Amino acid sequence: MKNIVTIIFLAFLGIFFTTCKKASSGMGDASNSSGAGGSTAMMTISGNYLYIVNSYTLQTYDISNPATAVLLSEQNVGWNIETIFPYRDKLFIGSQTGMYVFDNSNPKYPKLQGQAQHFRACDPVVADDDFAYVTLRNNNQRCGGTQNVLNIYDIKGVNVLNPKLVSSLNMPQPNGLGFKDNILYVCMGDAGLNVVDISDRTKPQVIKTISGEESFVDVIPFEDLLITYIHGGLVLYDISAPANPVKLSKIAEPTL
Amino acid sequence: MRNAIIAFAAILFLASCWNTKKEEVLGYAPIYGDSTRLKKIELSTPKPYETAGKIYVYGNTLYQVETGKGIHITDISNPSAPVKTGFISVMGAQEIAVKDNAIYTNNMKDLVILKISGNTVTLTKRLPGSFKNLFDHRRPPERGRFECPNPTKGIVIGWQKRTIINPNCSY
């Protein structure tokens, strides 16, 4: 009799924990919709958790109550990590030698799911459900490398374990990037901002390059707004028609 | 005899320092910070951009790092006419994230959580050393020759690329 009670109790405990887990990953999605960072960030928030990449480690903080924010864990990832980007229950980490995908369905302890190695370069990464978008650039002596390219990786289903390169598109000095629907925006410093049609992920097409006085570093597509970080300040574009960004305003100081 | 050797060595050493040629090269010079102001975090009226940095958007507010110095706050509720509303001074700032009006950034190597109410900013929490590898400022960001830091001028909070004269350090 006692055993039966224990089994029932354990079963309830099991159900309780499963529900908990689902609730927390769902929460991550909801709270991300109210804030967003760029693709070159080293720190990001997903749900009640804050993540910092620190050269070779990933730190997880519980920030459900900011006043008692606490480091939950720190794990080794790889060398020369530069960027972190959250998407749904995943974290995408860019290093100078590869892209790491972490399963974040348990946000307290993200778990390495897959990785793709590439040539040595600086590499911000963003992702949606099925694909990850990585830029590699060589200009920065700090990162080395010889490539200037946008890479698209298939991360659908089990492919995430070993992301498969589906296309590469050369462009000058690609840096920060972001997407809305089937349009990807890629910053290229003084060379401008590339508007790339990715309806066919195996054949990305540059449909427009916005260039002029601005030197583009990173972007945040935020609903109908494209927020771009340029050398010296910021420029806002209307992207209600994603393929055709319309400049709304600019706040910037002349730079050296 | 031993004294003579030391004296000779000293002369050789000094001679190697006498570099009368003025050589100008493009390289990195240290940016110094006042160590007593290191942990001071203040809210002020908007400031011009100098070295604009990373961005984070939360609702109608855009936060942009002023590299090494703080965070610009801009109201973008009318994106055709954004308005800078304030500036938070945070020494060493490079990273930014925001959630539920809590602002997360770095004060040198520390993670700091800030809250703005009215005309003041308060420190909700400081987690020392979270960005442990962010401020290895012993070396500039690129290889080459650089101006050696002078500890009497303050602590190094960053590097600036400019024309420097007779740099004695390199890596």
Side-chain angles (χ1 to χ4, degrees):
Chain A
M1 183 58 197
K2 212 174 168 187
N3 280 348
I4 293 169
V5 172
T6 315
I7 288 165
I8 291 172
F9 176 72
L10 285 176
F12 266 109
L13 213 63
I15 291 166
F16 176 74
F17 276 117
T18 331
T19 359
C20 262
K21 201 172 154 184
K22 273 184 189 148
S24 62
S25 67
M27 219 151 57
D29 290 351
S31 46
N32 264 359
S33 62
S34 48
S39 65
T40 54
M42 288 173 59
M43 170 168 76
T44 195
I45 293 173
S46 182
N48 284 325
Y49 300 89
L50 177 103
Y51 303 94
I52 295 175
V53 288
N54 235 325
S55 189
Y56 57 93
T57 66
L58 168 65
Q59 295 175 341
T60 305
Y61 292 85
D62 183 343
I63 56 162
S64 44
N65 177 4
T68 56
V70 63
L71 175 68
L72 293 179
S73 67
E74 175 161 25
Q75 52 183 307
N76 285 317
V77 179
W79 293 102
N80 298 313
I81 296 163
E82 308 206 295
T83 63
I84 181 163
F85 182 84
Y87 185 79
R88 301 240 164 117
D89 60 353
K90 287 189 171 59
L91 294 173
F92 294 84
I93 293 178
S95 85
Q96 286 177 20
T97 52
M99 171 190 74
Y100 302 87
V101 187
F102 276 77
D103 171 8
N104 202 27
S105 45
N106 174 9
K108 289 185 175 182
Y109 197 85
K111 214 172 123 205
L112 181 65
Q113 216 176 8
Q115 66 185 89
Q117 296 298 318
H118 55 61
F119 293 106
R120 193 171 161 81
C122 294
D123 81 324
V125 47
V126 296
D128 55 26
D129 286 321
D130 298 333
F131 296 93
Y133 312 88
V134 177
T135 62
L136 308 183
R137 77 179 189 286
N138 70 357
N139 70 325
N140 196 323
Q141 288 186 42
R142 196 167 49 89
C143 305
T146 52
Q147 288 203 321
N148 282 303
V149 71
L150 163 72
N151 278 350
I152 302 182
Y153 294 90
D154 184 350
I155 53 163
K156 204 182 304 168
V158 292
N159 288 341
V160 71
L161 303 175
N162 200 358
K164 202 178 106 204
L165 184 66
V166 294
S167 60
S168 283
L169 185 62
N170 290 315
M171 52 182 80
Q173 306 294 335
N175 194 350
L177 70 168
F179 60 86
K180 188 191 177 193
D181 304 334
N182 280 324
I183 298 294
L184 191 70
Y185 307 96
V186 186
C187 297
M188 304 182 293
D190 294 336
L193 177 76
N194 255 354
V195 181
V196 185
D197 184 345
I198 49 169
S199 340
D200 181 352
R201 263 65 171 182
T202 64
K203 291 189 190 74
Q205 309 261 351
V206 177
I207 50 174
K208 184 179 280 186
T209 302
I210 299 170
S211 59
E213 63 217 72
E214 283 99 15
S215 179
F216 294 91
V217 186
D218 202 3
V219 286
I220 306 175
F222 192 63
E223 293 157 12
D224 280 346
L225 206 56
L226 181 71
I227 301 162
T228 65
Y229 144 32
I230 59 165
H231 282 300
L234 61 99
V235 183
L236 304 179
Y237 293 88
D238 175 34
I239 49 167
S240 42
N244 188 26
V246 177
K247 191 171 177 175
L248 294 174
S249 57
K250 172 178 173 178
I251 312 185
E253 254 73 43
T255 47
L256 299 174
Chain B
M1 183 55 197
R2 202 168 145 216
N3 284 348
I5 291 171
I6 291 171
F8 182 66
I11 288 165
L12 269 188
F13 176 73
L14 284 174
S16 68
C17 289
W18 277 320
N19 185 359
T20 47
K21 212 177 88 200
K22 192 178 153 193
E23 189 197 0
E24 290 188 356
V25 295
L26 185 65
Y28 281 89
I31 300 169
Y32 296 102
D34 178 354
S35 60
T36 59
R37 288 188 53 83
L38 212 58
K39 290 188 173 176
K40 204 158 186 180
I41 294 168
E42 287 170 317
L43 182 67
S44 68
T45 51
K47 288 192 172 167
Y49 288 114
E50 290 171 39
T51 312
K54 293 178 186 180
I55 46 180
Y56 201 94
V57 58
Y58 195 85
N60 285 324
T61 310
L62 183 67
Y63 300 82
Q64 185 163 22
V65 168
E66 178 61 50
T67 308
K69 295 188 174 173
I71 295 153
H72 299 279
I73 305 167
T74 306
D75 179 355
I76 56 165
S77 46
N78 177 4
S80 299
V83 182
K84 276 189 184 174
T85 56
F87 184 81
I88 313 171
S89 313
V90 185
M91 203 173 273
Q94 286 190 25
E95 292 294 319
I96 174 77
V98 181
K99 192 195 176 213
D100 300 334
N101 295 317
I103 301 165
Y104 299 79
T105 185
N106 67 292
N107 178 203
M108 305 302 290
K109 292 188 182 206
D110 299 351
L111 169 64
V112 289
I113 308 175
L114 312 174
K115 219 153 222 177
I116 292 178
S117 46
N119 291 326
T120 55
V121 60
T122 49
L123 178 70
T124 306
K125 177 86 177 172
R126 175 184 292 273
L127 290 137
S130 293
F131 291 86
K132 51 189 162 191
N133 294 312
L134 198 53
F135 286 92
D136 191 359
H137 277 327
R138 288 167 299 181
R139 288 170 168 185
E142 288 177 68
R143 286 180 177 275
R145 295 173 73 184
F146 62 94
E147 196 178 292
C148 305
N150 177 352
T152 63
K153 289 189 176 174
I155 56 145
V156 179
I157 59 161
W159 294 87
Q160 184 185 24
K161 200 170 193 176
R162 60 173 170 84
T163 303
I164 50 177
I165 297 158
N166 296 336
N168 286 322
C169 286
S170 69
Y171 83 100

